[in-house]
């Protein structure tokens, strides 16, 4: 490492009252946030069960009635007086970390809170037709017992279809299927004038179909989506592979775990993710669907990671650094939602003792706290503190640059663990807001195919090393540097996260042409 790349030497930071409030925030979480979260989870579950007792015909009838209410509301809008259209959802309810201050200005609210039903599981077409507030926990609870699943199931239960479509969604299967939006076959959108349209890849609204992803709901109100289903098996055969060395060595071990250098498709796993625990250690996990009969063969280990008292998954995976490579079988739905109880590793900051066995055994069933309630109870001062002293970002970078991205994060932020999840970025017939590097198909680097460049998500979620050491850290400037690095390296920043981009820089990172075309249209 050159002198220019050496870790920054930072002075100590003087503590203020917010530091102490953050240190003891677990009191609020234990006595207020967790009980209310558990109650809301239970009530939501009852609502989902009630919805599932209704016939598809009844759900569709209710859906049509709710869509007509939205259309009527929009057609009654006076554009000159009522302001811009947005949903009536409160800013703190969203899982994302952005400060959606635009909702404090004059705007025209449309209530979409009723759109939370699975409208149909069409086995013949292998399509799930769902409303936008259906979340991942809800859809997997219905489909997995049928040995079916969405092709991409985001890990956290609370993530909704609407958020994953208008924003960003990824999972350990994205190296095969692409991002969440790549698995959508049709969108049903109500435009600002009250027109209901159905957009597909090849109909008259194909431009809207390609423009909806990453648009943050600014092109229309999503009221339903048709999403591709795949056949699955009851268990995930998971292999834990420890990798030790410098960050470039860890990056190469990560690439080799799912992108065979000889291109043999038989060696590509169904699922993959990596966790980097330090500048010299990481664990890669590759999964293959397995039948119940295979999982229960003599000598095979079954690990029910979904039980409330089980170790947090990221800490359990870390044991591979001492144990060496090992294999086990995890029930498929429990694997899908393996990071839910600990919110990846953010739970360790929220509840410092939450990973202890006594807490997991006595109170683990209450986890996780709802992100929306954490936001609702934080106040302006704490929100600003997290903005400056905490990082929740995803860096989407070409796979061959993942080692450089890891070195950049280590140098500028010192955040660990880091999450690695690859995804295909397809070369589409219509250029959307994100696209592969020009000419990638001629380079054919590791992981690339003729129709897609392999990217990876570097998930940066935690307090930076300088903050943990009590040193000065400028979180705003660090994010600005990260965004500039992404622009220079043909990377992307999902917009659920805090962004410091001005408008000019935003459109350097993303392609505006199709989006602006649809806005004008």
């Amino acid at each position: 490492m050159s002198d220019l790349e050496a870790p920054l030497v930072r002075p100590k930071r003087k503590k203020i009252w917010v530091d102490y409030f953050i240190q003891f925030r677990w009191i609020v979480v234990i006595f207020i946030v967790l009980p209310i979260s558990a109650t809301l989870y239970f009530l939501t579950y009852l609502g989902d069960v009630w919805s599932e007792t209704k016939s598809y015909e009844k759900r569709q009838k209710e859906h049509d009635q709710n869509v007509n209410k939205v259309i009527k509301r929009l057609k009654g809008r006076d554009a000159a007086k009522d302001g811009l259209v947005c949903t009536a959802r409160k800013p703190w309810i969203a899982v994302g970390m952005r400060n959606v201050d635009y909702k404090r200005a004059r705007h025209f609210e449309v209530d979409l809170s009723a759109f939370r039903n699975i409208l149909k599981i069409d086995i013949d077409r292998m399509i799930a037709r769902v409303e936008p507030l259906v979340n991942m926990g809800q859809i997997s609870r219905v489909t997995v017992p049928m040995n079916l699943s969405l092709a991409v199931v985001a890990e956290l239960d609370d993530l909704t279809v609407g958020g994953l479509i208008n924003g960003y969604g990824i999972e350990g299967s994205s190296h095969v299927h692409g991002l969440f939006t790549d698995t959508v076959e049709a969108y049903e959108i109500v435009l600002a004038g009250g027109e209901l349209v159905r957009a597909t890849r090849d109909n008259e609204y194909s431009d809207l179909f390609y423009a909806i992803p990453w648009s943050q709901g600014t092109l229309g109100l999503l009221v339903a989506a048709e999403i591709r289903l795949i056949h699955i098996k009851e268990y995930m055969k998971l292999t834990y592979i420890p990798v030790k060395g410098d960050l470039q060595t860890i990056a190469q071990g990560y690439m080799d775990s799912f992108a065979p250098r000889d291109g043999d498709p038989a060696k590509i796993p169904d699922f993959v993710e990596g966790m980097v625990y330090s500048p010299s250690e990481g664990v890669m996990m590759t999964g293959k669907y397995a039948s119940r009969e295979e999982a229960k063969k003599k000598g095979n280990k079954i690990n029910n990671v979904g039980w409330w008292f089980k170790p947090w998954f990221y800490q359990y995976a870390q044991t591979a650094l001492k144990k060496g490579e090992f294999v086990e079988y995890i029930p498929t739905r429990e694997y899908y939602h393996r990071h839910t109880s600990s919110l990846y590793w953010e739970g360790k900051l929220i509840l410092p003792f939450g990973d202890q066995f006594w807490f997991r055994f006595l109170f683990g069933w209450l986890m996780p706290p709802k992100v929306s309630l954490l936001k609702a109870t934080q106040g302006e001062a704490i929100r600003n503190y997290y903005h400056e002293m905490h990082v929740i970002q995803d860096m989407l970078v070409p796979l061959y640059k993942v080692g450089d991205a890891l070195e950049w994060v280590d140098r500028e932020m010192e955040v660990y663990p880091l999450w690695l999840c690859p995804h295909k970025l397809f070369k589409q017939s219509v250029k959307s807001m994100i696209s592969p590097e020009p000419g990638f198909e001629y380079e054919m680097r590791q992981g690339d195919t003729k129709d897609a460049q392999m990217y990876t998500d570097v998930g940066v979620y935690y307090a930076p090393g300088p903050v943990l050491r009590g040193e000065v850290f400028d979180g705003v400037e660090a994010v600005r540097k990260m965004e500039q690095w992404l622009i220079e390296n043909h990377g992307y920043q999902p917009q659920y996260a805090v962004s410091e981009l001005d408008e000019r820089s935003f459109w350097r990172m993303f392609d505006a042409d199709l989006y602006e075309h649809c806005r004008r249209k």
Side-chain angles (χ1 to χ4, degrees):
M1 181 180 288
S2 69
D3 291 340
L4 291 176
E5 295 178 330
L8 301 174
V9 178
R10 307 171 193 265
K12 290 291 184 180
R13 183 178 66 87
K14 186 178 180 179
K15 284 191 174 184
I16 58 176
W17 69 269
V18 181
D19 290 283
Y20 297 102
F21 193 93
I22 294 293
Q23 183 179 351
F24 295 102
R25 195 181 176 204
W26 60 266
I27 298 173
V28 176
V29 174
I30 288 283
F31 293 105
I32 298 176
V33 175
L34 277 182
I36 296 176
S37 295
T39 302
L40 291 175
Y41 284 130
F42 182 66
L43 292 176
T44 301
Y45 169 75
L46 291 180
D48 294 343
V49 171
W50 171 248
S51 172
E52 290 160 21
T53 63
K54 302 175 185 176
S55 66
Y56 288 143
E57 291 76 14
K58 182 165 180 144
R59 293 183 221 177
Q60 181 61 47
K61 182 178 179 182
E62 292 177 354
H63 172 77
D64 292 340
Q65 292 170 347
N66 290 326
V67 170
N68 287 333
K69 290 177 184 177
V70 171
I71 292 172
K72 182 178 179 181
R73 170 108 174 119
L74 287 170
K75 287 189 172 179
R77 168 178 170 257
D78 184 338
K81 295 191 306 182
D82 293 332
L84 299 175
V85 175
C86 70
T87 68
R89 198 180 194 196
K90 300 302 179 186
W92 55 269
I93 294 179
V95 174
M97 303 309 296
R98 283 184 304 117
N99 300 333
V100 282
D101 292 328
Y102 68 87
K103 286 197 173 184
R104 300 180 182 182
R106 181 169 62 95
H107 56 271
F108 187 81
E109 291 186 346
V110 180
D111 185 8
L112 299 180
S113 60
F115 290 86
R116 55 179 314 109
N117 293 313
I118 298 171
L119 297 174
K120 188 173 185 180
I121 302 296
D122 190 331
I123 298 177
D124 294 331
R125 294 175 58 218
M126 288 297 285
I127 290 291
R129 184 165 175 264
V130 299
E131 293 181 324
L133 291 182
V134 169
N135 65 37
M136 294 298 99
Q138 180 182 357
I139 188 71
S140 66
R141 188 169 53 246
V142 170
T143 59
V144 170
M146 304 165 69
N147 278 2
L148 298 174
S149 173
L150 300 184
V152 175
V153 182
E155 290 90 346
L156 302 182
D157 288 27
D158 266 0
L159 296 174
T160 63
V161 167
L164 296 170
I165 286 173
N166 286 303
Y168 158 77
I170 192 172
E171 216 320 21
S173 58
S174 289
H175 67 297
V176 176
H177 302 287
L179 296 175
F180 188 85
T181 47
D182 293 315
T183 69
V184 179
E185 299 298 329
Y187 303 111
E188 294 174 35
I189 304 286
V190 180
L191 303 179
E195 303 91 347
L196 174 65
V197 302
R198 182 175 183 271
T200 69
R201 288 181 179 82
D202 52 11
N203 72 358
E204 61 182 309
Y205 296 104
S206 61
D207 51 358
L208 186 62
F209 177 88
Y210 287 106
I212 285 292
W214 293 74
S215 68
Q216 304 298 319
T218 58
L219 295 175
L221 299 176
L222 179 71
V223 292
E226 297 177 17
I227 309 171
R228 194 185 317 143
L229 292 168
I230 61 171
H231 291 287
I232 62 169
K233 297 179 181 178
E234 295 88 351
Y235 283 84
M236 188 67 64
K237 179 184 179 182
L238 198 65
T239 303
Y240 300 78
I241 308 166
V243 182
K244 298 184 180 182
D246 61 22
L247 290 171
Q248 291 289 349
T249 300
I250 291 173
Q252 188 60 57
Y254 165 64
M255 291 189 283
D256 291 343
S257 70
F258 71 93
R261 300 193 196 197
D262 60 6
D264 183 358
K267 298 178 183 177
I268 299 174
D270 296 322
F271 273 77
V272 63
E273 70 174 334
M275 285 182 269
V276 182
Y277 293 96
S278 75
S280 60
E281 295 180 324
V283 176
M284 311 306 147
M285 286 144 284
T286 61
K288 282 273 192 181
Y289 286 113
S291 66
R292 180 179 287 106
E293 291 73 24
E294 177 185 342
K296 294 195 172 182
K297 284 182 179 177
K298 187 175 181 180
N300 288 342
K301 178 185 177 184
I302 293 177
N303 183 7
N304 293 93
V305 299
W307 284 96
W308 76 93
F309 55 82
K310 286 283 188 171
W312 288 354
F313 185 76
Y314 82 95
Q315 293 180 342
Y316 176 76
Q318 192 175 7
T319 62
L321 293 170
K322 292 184 177 179
K323 293 165 60 175
E325 183 174 324
F326 67 96
V327 178
E328 64 184 12
Y329 293 79
I330 300 175
T332 296
R333 186 168 184 268
E334 295 182 25
Y335 175 77
Y336 284 164
H337 303 294
R338 61 200 177 278
H339 292 300
T340 291
S341 62
S342 59
L343 298 174
Y344 287 91
W345 28 92
E346 283 290 312
K348 184 67 175 173
L349 284 177
I350 299 165
L351 289 170
F353 45 79
D355 57 345
Q356 300 299 306
F357 176 76
W358 66 268
F359 181 88
R360 299 197 316 268
F361 187 79
L362 295 176
F363 303 109
W365 57 276
L366 290 168
M367 293 291 283
K370 286 187 77 71
V371 174
S372 57
L373 286 177
L374 291 171
K375 291 165 65 177
T377 57
Q378 68 183 12
E380 193 73 16
I382 297 176
R383 185 176 79 162
N384 291 335
Y385 178 93
Y386 281 127
H387 184 73
E388 297 167 4
M389 303 292 176
H390 189 257
V391 179
I392 296 184
Q393 295 283 344
D394 287 89
M395 302 169 64
L396 309 190
V397 300
L399 180 63
Y400 72 94
K401 294 185 177 181
V402 67
D404 297 338
L406 293 177
E407 290 181 339
W408 188 93
V409 174
D410 179 67
R411 184 171 65 251
E412 297 291 341
M413 294 180 173
E414 295 182 69
V415 171
Y416 291 97
L418 296 171
W419 187 61
L420 300 177
C421 185
H423 69 90
K424 282 186 174 181
L425 188 52
F426 290 99
K427 183 179 180 180
Q428 298 173 328
S429 58
V430 177
K431 192 175 182 182
S432 61
M433 283 180 66
I434 65 171
S435 59
E437 292 179 301
F440 79 91
E441 62 269 40
Y442 304 111
E443 297 286 346
M444 288 300 289
R445 298 181 179 92
Q446 188 172 359
D448 292 352
T449 56
K450 288 293 184 183
D451 65 340
Q453 184 177 11
M454 192 64 74
Y455 266 60
T456 194
D457 182 339
V458 179
V460 189
Y461 326 124
Y462 210 60
V467 174
L468 296 175
R469 294 192 299 267
E471 298 170 358
V472 170
F473 180 78
D474 188 340
V476 173
E477 183 59 25
V479 170
R480 285 198 184 108
K481 288 181 179 179
M482 181 200 77
E483 291 164 343
Q484 185 59 37
W485 190 92
L486 287 172
I487 290 171
E488 293 170 355
N489 288 275
H490 205 87
Y492 300 101
Q493 174 195 33
Q495 291 301 297
Y496 79 89
V498 170
S499 174
E500 302 297 339
L501 291 168
D502 57 27
E503 186 172 355
R504 182 173 176 273
S505 297
F506 184 89
W507 292 122
R508 285 178 63 210
M509 182 181 291
F510 299 98
D511 191 291
D513 290 348
L514 179 62
Y515 175 80
E516 293 295 351
H517 159 77
C518 287
R519 290 285 283 183
R520 287 191 300 269
K521 188 174 176 181

